[in-house]
C-alpha cells in the first residue's frame, strides 16, 4: 500500500536514493544478537520492538519539542561525547622493547658489552651509536572527521528551535531530523507520524548493499539480527531516500558501530600456559611471531647470520689456541662477528617499506599491512569487480529507443517495433553535466552478438562524413511525440536531483540512485528537467536544462505536475511507479493524472497492455526483447519506461488503491540503455597487467552481455576469446573443484554473481588459483567479500566499501580505481627489486669483510700473533657508515622502466640461485682484491716484516703493516662504493644504467669515498684509532684494483646477459592487442 503524504508536493521529498549496485550483496549479515546487545545505554529494554511513544517516555523526551538545552548539557556530561574511542597509543617503553627485540640489535648489544668489557672504548662507542640509530620508530594515528546533526530542542520559554550541532554533542533522548543524504549521527528509534519513505544504506553494518526501508511500527521479534530491526536507524549509515524524525537511543561506544569498534580493538585470547606461553612471548619479542611474514623472514635471516657470527668469533679466538688470548684478539673477534651482520638491514627494510607505503598513499592506495607491498610483486592474477573499479561508477544514458519510425517532430509517428527509432546521447567528461547533443540514429539498432554472446562481430564503424549524413541532432523544441512522452517518464518517475558545481573547477553534483541520475540527466538534455515540470510557472526554480536560456522551459507543456503517490523501487518486483496531477497554467487545457512506471523490461511488460493506442501483441514484445538484447550487447543496462493518463476525477482513487491495482494497463513508451563507461585509464592498466604476465579477471553481478562488452572494450577479453572465458556465477558455482581444475584456463569474466552465492564464488576462484600454484589480488567492498579478501594473497578493499571489507584487506583503494591496483603492483615490484639490491650489496660487502678478516689470521708476527689486515674500528666503520647509507639509497631506487615487462615468477623469491652466485662472486672478488693490496704492500714493497704488537700500538716496526692496512682499507671502501652502483642492475653494465636517477646514492658514493682521506691522513685518527698510515704511492695499486674490479664485474655481467638470452623464459601467451597502449598514456602520473 502506498504512503499518502500531502506534503509530497515539495520536490525535496523526491531527492535521490543513494548509489547502490542492485547486483551486489542483498543478504543481511548472519549476526546473532543477544538481548543485551539490543538494550541501549539509556534504556532498560530493546527499543526496536517497543512502541516509539514508550521509548520517548523512557528517555524523558518529547516527539514535538525534544530536549531542553539544559537537559541536553546534563546528558552530555553523563554519557560523554558521541564519538568512538581512539586506539591506545603504545607506550615509549613498548616501542623500545619492540625495536630492541630483533636479531641485529641484540647482537650489537652483545658486541657492545664485550667491547666495553675489554675496555675497548672506541669500538664500544661506535657500536653503541649504531644501537641508538637502530632503535627508532614512527607512529601515527588518523582521525576521521564526523558530520553534523540537525536536532530539535526547546528553550525555557517552550519555543522550539531546530539547530545544527556537531555529532559529538548528540545525546540519548535528542530528536534528530533526517533527510536524504544525511549521515545518521547515533542509533535512534523512528517515531510514529514522522516517517516519509525513509531508506538507509546500512551495508557497512549488515552487508545489505541495497538501502533498507524503515518503518515506525515496532518489530515483533525481540532477539533478531541488527539488519532486521527496521524500526531503528544506526550510527554511520546514510539516508538514501525520504525523511524522518528519530529519537536517539544510544551514542558513542554503545552504538552498534561502537560495539564493532570495541570488538576490533580486542585481541584474540591464547590458550597456552606455562612454558608454551613463555615461549610464545619470547618468539614475539624476537620478532618471529605476531608480525608480518616479511619481517619474520628477515628476522630468521638475522638469526642465521647470528649463528654464523658466533662461529666467526670462535674461529678468531681459536687462532690463538685459546691460550693467553690478548684483548686485541677479543676485540677483533667482536668486530669480525659484527661484520658478518648487515647491521642496518632492519632500518633499511623499514624505511624502504615506509617510503613505499607513503608513495602508494599519495597514489590513493592505503597500505594496511606492510608485507602486502612485497606480496603484490609476485601476483599472477587480479580479480576485480567491474562497477566503480574498472568503470567510473557513474551511469549515463547512452541510447534511447522508442517503438516508432519517424524521428522528426510530429504528433502521430507510426508504431514500429521491428525497427523503431534509436537515439544517441552525447556525454562529456562530467557525466552529470545536464547538456549535450541528442542524435537520431538512422542506422537500425541490431544485435551483432551471437546467442552464445560471442561479440567477435562488431558493428561497422562509420566515417565522420557518414555520421554527419546519417545522424541528426534532435532539438528540445521539436521532439517527436513518443520521445517527448519518454522524456517525461524519465524525468518524473525519478527521485534524483542535480545541482550546480560549487566552484568553477568542480563538476556537477547529483544525489540519488545512479540509474535515476542517468535518466534525469538525459531528461535535462531533452529539455524536460524535473524542476521545470514540477513547479508552477510563477515559482519556477530554474536549473539550466538544455541548450538555450531563452527558450521555454519545456516546449509544448503549459502547466506543471504535482506528485500524488509513489510506489518506490522494490527489488522483488524490479519496478518503480508514481502518479502526478497535471495542473495547467490556464483553462485552455484540462487537468489530468499522469501515471508512470519504469523498471526491468521483463517485469514492466507484465504490466503493459498497449503501445500508444494499439494493443501490445506478442510480436511487439518479441521485437522489443530483440532490441533490448541489442542494447545489452553494447554493454548497456536496459530499462523499460511506461505511462498512462487518467482523468482528474480518479485522483482520490489513485492515492488509495494498492500497488498491484495501480500498476496495470500501462502503455509501453520505450527503452533506455544506461552505461557505466570504463575509466579512461582502465584499458592501459589492463594492457600493463597483460604485458607483466598478470591475468586480469572480472567478477560482477551484471548481465553477461554487459560484462562481456566492457571486458572487450578494455582488453580483458580479446576478439577471439574462448566460450569458456565468459561464465555466469551460477555456471561457475555449479562446477566441482575437479572440473574447475580440469579447465585449461579459468574464466576471465564471471557475470551474474548473485548476492547469495557471491561469497562462495569469490572464495572458490581464489582457491582454484591457489591450486594452480599462482597468487592473486582480490578486490571487494561488501561484507560477503570478506572471506575471499582474507584468503587472497593480497586483499584489496574499496574506500567506499564496508568497514568489514576494509578490515579484511591488506590494501584499501581510496579512489576504487583498477589502475591504482596496477600502480601498487608496479610499486611492489620496485620494492622487491630494491630489497634484492640492497640485500646483495649488504651481504656481499659483509662477505668481503669476512674474507679479509678471517684470511688475515694467517699472517703471524714474530710473537706468533695474527696481524690483522683491518683494525676492529675500521671493520666497524665499513660495516656501519660505509654499508648503511648506500644500502638505504638502493632501497629508494626509482621504479625500473622494465618493472612491468618481467614475469611474476621473477618476484617470488629473493634468495634465488642467481642471488647466491652474485653474492659469492662479488664477496670473494672484493675481499680478494683488498687482501691482495695488503700483501702487495707488505711483500712487494716492504720485505715482509710484520713487526710486533701492531694490533695495539703504533711502533717503529709497524710502519709497513700500517701502510698495508691503509691500502687494504681504502681499496675495500672505494670498491664497495662502486659496487653499490653496480648493484643498481644485476645484468646491465654500469655504463648502461642511468646513474643520475638516484642522486641520493650518487652523493653517498662521492661523500663516503672522500671520507677515506680524513681517515688515512688526519693524525691520531689514522694511527691511534684506525691503526693505519698515510697513503702515498699506494694510491696507484688502490686504483689499479678498482680497474680490476670493474673489468671482472663487467665480464661477469656480460656472461650473465648471454646466459639469460639463451635461456629466456617464454613470454606470456596473452598480450595486449595494442602494443603501444600503456597506463601512462591514458592518465597523468601522480
Amino acid at each position: 500500500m502506498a504512503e499518502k503524504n500531502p506534503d509530497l508536493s515539495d520536490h525535496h521529498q523526491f531527492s535521490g536514493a543513494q548509489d547502490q549496485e542492485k547486483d551486489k550483496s542483498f543478504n543481511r549479515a548472519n549476526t546473532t544478537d543477544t538481548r543485551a546487545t539490543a538494550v541501549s545505554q539509556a534504556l532498560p529494554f530493546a527499543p526496536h520492538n517497543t512502541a516509539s511513544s514508550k521509548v520517548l517516555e523512557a528517555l524523558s523526551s518529547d516527539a514535538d519539542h525534544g530536549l531542553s538545552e539544559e537537559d541536553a548539557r546534563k546528558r552530555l556530561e553523563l554519557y560523554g561525547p558521541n564519538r568512538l574511542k581512539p586506539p591506545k597509543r603504545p607506550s615509549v617503553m613498548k616501542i623500545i622493547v619492540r625495536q630492541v627485540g630483533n636479531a641485529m640489535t641484540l647482537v650489537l648489544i652483545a658486541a657492545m658489552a664485550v667491547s666495553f668489557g675489554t675496555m675497548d672504548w672506541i669500538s664500544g662507542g661506535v657500536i653503541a651509536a649504531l644501537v641508538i640509530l637502530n632503535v627508532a620508530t614512527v607512529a601515527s594515528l588518523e582521525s576521521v572527521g564526523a558530520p553534523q546533526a540537525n536536532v530539535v530542542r526547546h528553550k525555557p520559554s517552550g519555543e522550539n528551535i531546530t539547530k545544527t550541532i556537531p555529532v559529538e554533542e548528540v545525546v540519548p533522548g535528542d530528536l534528530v531530523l533526517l533527510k536524504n543524504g544525511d549521515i545518521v549521527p547515533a542509533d535512534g528509534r523512528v517515531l510514529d507520524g514522522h516517517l516519509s519513505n525513509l531508506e538507509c544504506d546500512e551495508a557497512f553494518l549488515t552487508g545489505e548493499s541495497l538501502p533498507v526501508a524503515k518503518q515506525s511500527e515496532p518489530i515483533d521479534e525481540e532477539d533478531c539480527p541488527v539488519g532486521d530491526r527496521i524500526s531503528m536507524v544506526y550510527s554511520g549509515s546514510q539516508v538514501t531516500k525520504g525523511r524522518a524524525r528519530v529519537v536517539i537511543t544510544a551514542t558513542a561506544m554503545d552504538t552498534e558501530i561502537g560495539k564493532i569498534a570495541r570488538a576490533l580493538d580486542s585481541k584474540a585470547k591464547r590458550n597456552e600456559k606455562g612454558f608454551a606461553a613463555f615461549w610464545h612471548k619470547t618468539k614475539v619479542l624476537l620478532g618471529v611471531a605476531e608480525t608480518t611474514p616479511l619481517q619474520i623472514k628477515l628476522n630468521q635471516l638475522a638469526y642465521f647470520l647470528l649463528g654464523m657470527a658466533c662461529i666467526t668469533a670462535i674461529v678468531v679466538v681459536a687462532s690463538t689456541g685459546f691460550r693467553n688470548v690478548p684483548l686485541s684478539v677479543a676485540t677483533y673477534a667482536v668486530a669480525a662477528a659484527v661484520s658478518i651482520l648487515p647491521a642496518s638491514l632492519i632500518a633499511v627494510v623499514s624505511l624502504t617499506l615506509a617510503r613505499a607505503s607513503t608513495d602508494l598513499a599519495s597514489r590513493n592506495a592505503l597500505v594496511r599491512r606492510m608485507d602486502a607491498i612485497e606480496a603484490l610483486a609476485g601476483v599472477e592474477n587480479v580479480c576485480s569487480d567491474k562497477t566503480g573499479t574498472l568503470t567510473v561508477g557513474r551511469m549515463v544514458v547512452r541510447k534511447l529507443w522508442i517503438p516508432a519510425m519517424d524521428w522528426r517532430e510530429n504528433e502521430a509517428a507510426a508504431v514500429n517495433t521491428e525497427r523503431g527509432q534509436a537515439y544517441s546521447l552525447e556525454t562529456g567528461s562530467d557525466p552529470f553535466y545536464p547538456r549535450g547533443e541528442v542524435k537520431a540514429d538512422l542506422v537500425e539498432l541490431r544485435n551483432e552478438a551471437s546467442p552464445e554472446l560471442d561479440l567477435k562481430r562488431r558493428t561497422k564503424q562509420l566515417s565522420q562524413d557518414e555520421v554527419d549524413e546519417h545522424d541528426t541532432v534532435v532539438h528540445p523544441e521539436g521532439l517527436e511525440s513518443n520521445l517527448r512522452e519518454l522524456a517525461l517518464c524519465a524525468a518524473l518517475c525519478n527521485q534524483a536531483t542535480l545541482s550546480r558545481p560549487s566552484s568553477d573547477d568542480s563538476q556537477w553534483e547529483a544525489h540519488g540512485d545512479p540509474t535515476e541520475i542517468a535518466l534525469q540527466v538525459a531528461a535535462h538534455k531533452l529539455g524536460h528537467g524535473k524542476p521545470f515540470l514540477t513547479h508552477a510557472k510563477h515559482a519556477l526554480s530554474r536549473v539550466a536544462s538544455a541548450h538555450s536560456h531563452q527558450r521555454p522551459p519545456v516546449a509544448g507543456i503549459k502547466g506543471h505536475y504535482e506528485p500524488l503517490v509513489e510506489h518506490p523501487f522494490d527489488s522483488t518486483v524490479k519496478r518503480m511507479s508514481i502518479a502526478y496531477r497535471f495542473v495547467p497554467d490556464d483553462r485552455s487545457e484540462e487537468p489530468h493524472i499522469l501515471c508512470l512506471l519504469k523498471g526491468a523490461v521483463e517485469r514492466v511488460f507484465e504490466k503493459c497492455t498497449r503501445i500508444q493506442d494499439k494493443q501490445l501483441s506478442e510480436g511487439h514484445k518479441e521485437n522489443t526483447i530483440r532490441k533490448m538484447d541489442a542494447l545489452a550487447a553494447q554493454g548497456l543496462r536496459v530499462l523499460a519506461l511506461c505511462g498512462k493518463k487518467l482523468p482528474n476525477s480518479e485522483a482520490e482513487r489513485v492515492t488509495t488503491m494498492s500497488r498491484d491495482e495501480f500498476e496495470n494497463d500501462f502503455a509501453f513508451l520505450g527503452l533506455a540503455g544506461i552505461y557505466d563507461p570504463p575509466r579512461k585509464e582502465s584499458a592501459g592498466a589492463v594492457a600493463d597487467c597483460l604485458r607483466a604476465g598478470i591475468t586480469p579477471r572480472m567478477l560482477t553481478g551484471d548481465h553477461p552481455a554487459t560484462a562481456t562488452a566492457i571486458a572487450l572494450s578494455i582488453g580483458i577479453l580479446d576478439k577471439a576469446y574462448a566460450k569458456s572465458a565468459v561464465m555466469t556465477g551460477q555456471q561457475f558455482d555449479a562446477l566441482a573443484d575437479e572440473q574447475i581444475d580440469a579447465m585449461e584456463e579459468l574464466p576471465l569474466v564471471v557475470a551474474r554473481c548473485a548476492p547469495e552465492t557471491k561469497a562462495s564464488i569469490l572464495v572458490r576462484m581464489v582457491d582454484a588459483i591457489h591450486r594452480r600454484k599462482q597468487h592473486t589480488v582480490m578486490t571487494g567492498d561488501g561484507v560477503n567479500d570478506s572471506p575471499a579478501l582474507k584468503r587472497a594473497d593480497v586483499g584489496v578493499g574499496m574506500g567506499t566499501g564496508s568497514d568489514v571489507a576494509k578490515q579484511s584487506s591488506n590494501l584499501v583503494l581510496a579512489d576504487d580505481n583498477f589502475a591504482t591496483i596496477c600502480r601498487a603492483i608496479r610499486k611492489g615490484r620496485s620494492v622487491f627489486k630494491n630489497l634484492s639490491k640492497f640485500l646483495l650489496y649488504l651481504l656481499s660487502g659483509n662477505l668481503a669483510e669476512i674474507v679479509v678478516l678471517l684470511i688475515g689470521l694467517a699472517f703471524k708476527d714474530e710473537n706468533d700473533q695474527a696481524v690483522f689486515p683491518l683494525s676492529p674500528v675500521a671493520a666497524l666503520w665499513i660495516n656501519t657508515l660505509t654499508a648503511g647509507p648506500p644500502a638505504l639509497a638502493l632501497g629508494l631506487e626509482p621504479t625500473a622502466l622494465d618493472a612491468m615487462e618481467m614475469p611474476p615468477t621473477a618476484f617470488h623469491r629473493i634468495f634465488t640461485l642467481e642471488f647466491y652466485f652474485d653474492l659469492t662472486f662479488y664477496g670473494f672478488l672484493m675481499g680478494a682484491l683488498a687482501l691482495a693490496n695488503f700483501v702487495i704492500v707488505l711483500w712487494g714493497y716492504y720485505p715482509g716484516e710484520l713487526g710486533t704488537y701492531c694490533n695495539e700500538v703504533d711502533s717503529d716496526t709497524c710502519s709497513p703493516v700500517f701502510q698495508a692496512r691503509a691500502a687494504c682499507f681504502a681499496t675495500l671502501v672505494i670498491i664497495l662504493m662502486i659496487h653499490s652502483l653496480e648493484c643498481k642492475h644485476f645484468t646491465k653494465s654500469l655504463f648502461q644504467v642511468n646513474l643520475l636517477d638516484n642522486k641520493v646514492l650518487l652523493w653517498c658514493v662521492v661523500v663516503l669515498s672522500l671520507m677515506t682521506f680524513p681517515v688515512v691522513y688526519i693524525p691520531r685518527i689514522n694511527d691511534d684509532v684506525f691503526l693505519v698510515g698515510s697513503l702515498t704511492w699506494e694510491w696507484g695499486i688502490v686504483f689499479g684494483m678498482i680497474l680490476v674490479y670493474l673489468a671482472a664485474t663487467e665480464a661477469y655481467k656480460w656472461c650473465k646477459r648471454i646466459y639469460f638470452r639463451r635461456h629466456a623464459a617464454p613470454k606470456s601467451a596473452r598480450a595486449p592487442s595494442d602494443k603501444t597502449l600503456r597506463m601512462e598514456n591514458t592518465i597523468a602520473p601522480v
Side-chain angles (χ1 to χ4, degrees):
M1 192 71 180
E3 296 185 42
K4 183 180 178 182
N5 191 332
D7 295 330
L8 284 179
S9 58
D10 183 355
H11 76 278
H12 291 294
Q13 285 290 331
F14 292 87
S15 52
Q18 181 67 16
D19 179 3
Q20 294 294 335
E21 269 302 322
K22 309 281 188 298
D23 297 316
K24 291 187 180 177
S25 171
F26 190 65
N27 291 336
R28 297 185 188 276
N30 295 322
T31 308
T32 56
D33 298 273
T34 64
R35 182 173 179 178
T37 64
V39 177
S40 74
Q41 67 196 108
L43 292 173
F45 51 81
H48 66 272
N49 69 330
T50 307
S52 62
S53 57
K54 185 177 178 181
V55 175
L56 283 166
E57 182 181 351
L59 291 169
S60 301
S61 188
D62 184 270
D64 297 319
H65 305 292
L67 301 175
S68 67
E69 292 288 355
E70 180 63 20
D71 194 7
R73 185 187 61 78
K74 292 179 179 178
R75 295 190 187 203
L76 185 61
E77 295 176 357
L78 175 63
Y79 297 112
N82 176 34
R83 60 169 175 258
L84 302 182
K85 292 181 180 178
K88 288 184 178 180
R89 290 180 178 269
S91 66
V92 175
M93 184 55 64
K94 284 185 178 180
I95 293 175
I96 294 175
V97 169
R98 188 187 306 132
Q99 289 300 101
V100 169
N102 65 70
M104 301 302 175
T105 309
L106 291 175
V107 173
L108 291 175
I109 291 174
M112 178 182 67
V114 172
S115 297
F116 286 139
T118 58
M119 292 182 290
D120 186 352
W121 311 114
I122 296 175
S123 298
V126 172
I127 298 173
L130 183 58
V131 170
I132 294 171
L133 287 175
N134 270 354
V135 180
T137 187
V138 177
S140 65
L141 291 173
E142 293 185 64
S143 59
V144 179
Q148 295 177 318
N150 294 318
V151 299
V152 176
R153 290 179 179 169
H154 63 269
K155 298 179 179 179
S157 62
E159 179 187 355
N160 284 359
I161 55 171
T162 300
K163 59 186 299 186
T164 301
I165 62 172
V167 294
E168 288 86 352
E169 297 178 12
V170 173
V171 296
D174 254 329
L175 290 187
V176 175
L177 303 179
L178 299 177
K179 64 180 184 304
N180 178 46
D182 285 352
I183 301 295
V184 179
D187 291 2
R189 176 69 164 84
V190 180
L191 299 180
D192 286 331
H194 298 276
L195 173 69
S196 176
N197 290 335
L198 182 70
E199 291 185 4
C200 294
D201 175 11
E202 297 175 352
F204 75 99
L205 192 62
T206 65
E208 184 174 342
S209 64
L210 291 177
V212 180
K214 297 297 182 179
Q215 68 180 43
S216 57
E217 295 80 9
I219 307 301
D220 294 334
E221 186 180 354
E222 180 177 357
D223 187 11
C224 62
V226 171
D228 291 335
R229 301 176 193 167
I230 56 177
S231 60
M232 300 288 294
V233 293
Y234 294 104
S235 176
S237 62
Q238 185 174 17
V239 178
T240 62
K241 178 183 175 184
R243 62 184 180 185
R245 181 176 293 195
V246 302
V247 60
I248 298 303
T249 58
T251 59
M253 297 299 286
D254 289 288
T255 61
E256 293 299 327
I257 191 64
K259 294 168 186 174
I260 293 175
R262 188 182 294 114
L264 292 174
D265 193 46
S266 61
K267 292 185 177 180
K269 294 182 179 179
R270 302 191 61 88
N271 299 321
E272 293 96 336
K273 295 181 179 179
F275 179 76
F278 170 78
W279 178 241
H280 177 75
K281 290 181 179 179
T282 304
K283 287 166 61 177
V284 172
L285 178 65
L286 296 179
V288 292
E290 291 191 8
T291 186
T292 66
L294 176 62
Q295 204 68 42
I296 291 174
K297 290 177 188 176
L298 293 174
N299 283 337
Q300 288 173 341
L301 169 65
Y303 290 119
F304 169 76
L305 295 177
L306 169 60
M308 298 302 297
C310 294
I311 294 173
T312 301
I314 293 173
V315 169
V316 172
V317 176
S319 66
T320 65
F322 297 103
R323 297 186 304 271
N324 300 321
V325 178
L327 292 178
S328 60
V329 173
T331 304
Y332 190 74
V334 171
V338 172
S339 295
I340 205 171
L341 296 170
S344 55
L345 176 63
I346 300 299
V348 171
V349 170
S350 299
L351 289 173
T352 300
L353 292 178
R355 171 66 182 272
S357 178
T358 303
D359 194 31
L360 285 173
S362 69
R363 288 163 169 77
N364 298 312
L366 310 178
V367 180
R368 296 191 68 251
R369 290 178 60 90
M370 286 294 188
D371 57 315
I373 301 175
E374 179 213 15
L376 279 167
V379 297
E380 291 97 345
N381 300 268
V382 178
C383 300
S384 173
D385 192 10
K386 177 186 75 70
T387 304
T389 306
L390 291 164
T391 60
V392 298
R394 288 184 168 189
M395 310 294 285
V396 297
V397 175
R398 188 176 183 182
K399 290 281 186 181
L400 295 174
W401 180 85
I402 59 173
M405 277 289 293
D406 197 347
W407 59 270
R408 295 168 298 182
E409 182 179 7
N410 63 81
E411 295 300 329
V415 173
N416 186 317
T417 56
E418 185 174 353
R419 175 165 179 167
Q421 177 62 58
Y423 297 87
S424 298
L425 283 80
E426 178 190 48
T427 300
S429 59
D430 182 359
F432 297 160
Y433 186 60
R435 297 183 184 180
E437 286 187 343
V438 180
K439 292 183 177 182
D441 300 334
L442 298 186
V443 177
E444 182 181 351
L445 179 65
R446 292 177 181 175
N447 186 359
E448 298 293 336
S450 69
E452 291 79 18
L453 301 176
D454 184 358
L455 301 187
K456 295 186 285 295
R457 291 173 57 201
R458 294 299 188 92
T459 304
K460 177 186 175 184
Q461 297 297 315
L462 302 177
S463 67
Q464 187 59 48
D465 291 339
E466 290 174 317
V467 169
D468 294 339
E469 178 184 349
H470 288 87
D471 293 347
T472 307
V473 176
V474 174
H475 296 284
E477 297 87 352
L479 297 185
E480 187 269 328
S481 60
N482 291 282
L483 182 58
R484 183 184 299 116
E485 296 294 330
L486 188 74
L488 271 176
C489 184
L492 295 175
C493 191
N494 197 312
Q495 299 171 328
T497 58
L498 304 178
S499 55
R500 290 181 176 278
S502 56
S503 61
D504 292 339
D505 56 349
S506 61
Q507 295 186 331
W508 280 70
E509 297 177 357
H511 300 282
D513 180 270
T515 300
E516 295 193 337
I517 291 173
L519 290 172
Q520 191 62 247
V521 172
H524 276 72
K525 292 176 181 178
L526 290 168
H528 283 63
K530 185 177 179 180
F532 287 150
L533 298 170
T534 56
H535 289 73
K537 188 174 182 180
H538 64 276
L540 205 58
S541 176
R542 300 181 181 273
V543 175
S545 176
H547 302 284
S548 173
H549 291 284
Q550 286 74 38
R551 67 174 181 82
V554 180
I557 297 178
K558 299 178 180 179
H560 67 279
Y561 291 88
E562 295 178 351
L564 290 178
V565 67
E566 175 205 357
H567 298 278
F569 178 83
D570 187 338
S571 60
T572 59
V573 297
K574 296 184 179 179
R575 293 189 300 267
M576 171 197 174
S577 57
I578 199 166
Y580 288 84
R581 175 190 284 113
F582 176 69
V583 181
D585 292 338
D586 52 45
R587 295 183 179 181
S588 62
E589 195 172 350
E590 291 294 325
H592 62 266
I593 306 301
L594 179 64
C595 303
L596 303 168
L597 181 145
K598 75 171 189 295
V601 177
E602 61 276 9
R603 294 303 183 90
V604 166
F605 267 171
E606 297 172 359
K607 304 298 181 181
C608 289
T609 58
R610 295 173 290 113
I611 294 184
Q612 295 184 18
D613 57 352
K614 294 186 178 182
Q615 195 71 17
L616 181 65
S617 65
E618 289 300 320
H620 290 150
K621 290 183 179 179
E622 290 174 4
N623 290 335
T624 303
I625 293 298
R626 279 196 288 270
K627 297 304 179 185
M628 179 195 75
D629 292 339
L631 292 171
Q634 297 179 29
L636 307 183
R637 181 173 296 172
V638 186
L639 292 180
L641 293 89
C642 305
K644 65 179 179 181
K645 290 184 180 179
L646 298 174
N648 191 45
S649 59
E650 295 284 322
E652 184 64 28
R653 192 172 72 87
V654 165
T655 58
T656 57
M657 67 174 58
S658 68
R659 179 170 190 157
D660 287 340
E661 185 181 359
F662 176 82
E663 292 179 348
N664 270 309
D665 195 29
F666 274 84
F668 174 68
L669 299 176
L671 302 175
I674 300 175
Y675 185 58
D676 183 8
R679 293 178 182 267
K680 62 180 180 179
E681 61 268 25
S682 290
V686 169
D688 278 0
C689 285
L690 293 175
R691 202 175 285 110
I694 300 169
T695 303
R697 304 182 191 276
M698 180 196 297
L699 297 95
T700 178
D702 279 337
H703 188 280
T706 304
T708 301
I710 294 292
L712 280 168
S713 68
I714 62 177
I716 291 179
L717 292 174
D718 54 32
K719 294 181 181 180
Y721 70 89
K723 182 179 178 181
S724 60
V726 180
M727 299 179 70
T728 65
Q730 184 179 7
Q731 292 170 338
F732 182 78
D733 206 31
L735 297 175
D737 288 346
E738 294 75 15
Q739 292 174 298
I740 295 175
D741 294 340
M743 297 174 66
E744 184 177 350
E745 289 290 342
L746 293 174
L748 299 174
V749 175
V750 181
R752 279 293 188 236
C753 294
E756 60 271 14
T757 59
K758 186 179 181 184
S760 170
I761 293 169
L762 298 183
V763 169
R764 294 193 69 196
M765 177 63 78
V766 172
D767 290 345
I769 291 172
H770 286 168
R771 288 196 298 273
R772 294 177 184 236
K773 309 300 181 184
Q774 294 181 357
H775 306 83
T776 185
V777 169
M778 176 63 74
T779 69
D781 57 1
V783 173
N784 54 357
D785 297 332
S786 300
L789 292 174
K790 287 184 177 180
R791 195 166 300 195
D793 301 276
V794 181
V796 178
M798 300 295 110
T800 57
S802 67
D803 288 344
V804 176
K806 294 176 188 176
Q807 291 291 336
S808 303
S809 304
N810 310 99
L811 197 73
V812 176
L813 303 184
D815 59 354
D816 296 2
N817 194 339
F818 180 84
T820 303
I821 301 175
C822 193
R823 290 195 199 98
I825 292 174
R826 181 180 309 206
K827 176 55 68 174
R829 290 187 167 200
S830 173
V831 168
F832 185 94
K833 282 299 180 184
N834 290 350
L835 287 172
S836 302
K837 291 173 186 178
F838 73 65
L839 279 173
L840 177 62
Y841 174 72
L842 285 175
L843 295 179
S844 59
N846 291 349
L847 180 59
E849 278 191 89
I850 292 301
V851 167
V852 172
L853 295 175
L854 291 186
I855 295 179
L857 295 174
F859 303 127
K860 302 279 187 174
D861 62 10
E862 57 190 43
N863 295 327
D864 200 32
Q865 289 187 0
V867 177
F868 310 146
L870 289 175
S871 68
V873 173
L876 291 173
W877 173 277
I878 293 173
N879 195 44
T880 53
L881 294 181
T882 305
L888 176 58
L890 283 171
L892 302 179
E893 275 281 288
T895 304
L897 296 177
D898 60 351
M900 297 299 281
E901 304 285 344
M902 292 180 279
T905 51
F907 302 92
H908 285 175
R909 293 177 57 200
I910 291 179
F911 300 106
T912 60
L913 187 61
E914 178 193 0
F915 184 90
Y916 289 123
F917 268 110
D918 291 348
L919 174 63
T920 304
F921 174 80
Y922 291 124
F924 279 97
L925 174 64
M926 292 185 293
L929 294 178
L931 204 58
N933 272 351
F934 182 80
V935 173
I936 289 173
V937 172
L938 272 177
W939 279 274
Y941 185 80
Y942 294 102
E945 296 179 359
L946 297 177
T948 56
Y949 304 110
C950 294
N951 294 332
E952 288 102 8
V953 295
D954 180 15
S955 61
D956 294 337
T957 59
C958 292
S959 179
V961 174
F962 276 40
Q963 292 301 112
R965 278 182 187 153
C968 181
F969 173 77
T971 302
L972 188 55
V973 168
I974 297 177
I975 287 181
L976 272 173
M977 294 301 98
I978 298 174
H979 179 55
S980 68
L981 299 177
E982 291 282 4
C983 287
K984 283 174 66 71
H985 203 283
F986 293 164
T987 56
K988 282 186 179 180
S989 166
L990 179 63
F991 307 104
Q992 292 176 324
V993 298
N994 181 9
L995 299 179
L996 298 178
D997 64 358
N998 190 345
K999 294 182 180 179
V1000 175
L1001 176 61
L1002 206 57
W1003 276 108
C1004 286
V1005 169
V1006 172
V1007 171
L1008 292 175
S1009 297
L1010 293 176
M1011 286 182 68
T1012 307
F1013 292 90
V1015 169
V1016 298
Y1017 286 117
I1018 296 178
R1020 297 297 181 187
I1021 291 179
N1022 58 1
D1023 51 5
D1024 287 349
V1025 177
F1026 286 86
L1027 303 180
V1028 297
S1030 299
L1031 294 178
T1032 53
W1033 65 270
E1034 293 89 351
W1035 282 114
I1037 60 173
V1038 169
F1039 288 106
M1041 288 303 175
I1042 292 173
L1043 294 177
V1044 173
Y1045 166 81
L1046 286 172
T1049 300
E1050 292 300 316
Y1052 176 69
K1053 286 189 173 182
W1054 178 73
C1055 294
K1056 284 181 66 176
R1057 289 196 295 272
I1058 294 177
Y1059 176 83
F1060 287 132
R1061 267 200 304 268
R1062 293 178 178 177
H1063 298 82
K1067 290 189 176 182
S1068 172
R1070 291 200 65 201
S1073 56
D1074 185 354
K1075 305 297 182 184
T1076 63
L1077 184 60
R1078 295 178 183 273
M1079 188 169 63
E1080 292 88 344
N1081 298 336
T1082 57
I1083 187 169
V1086 178

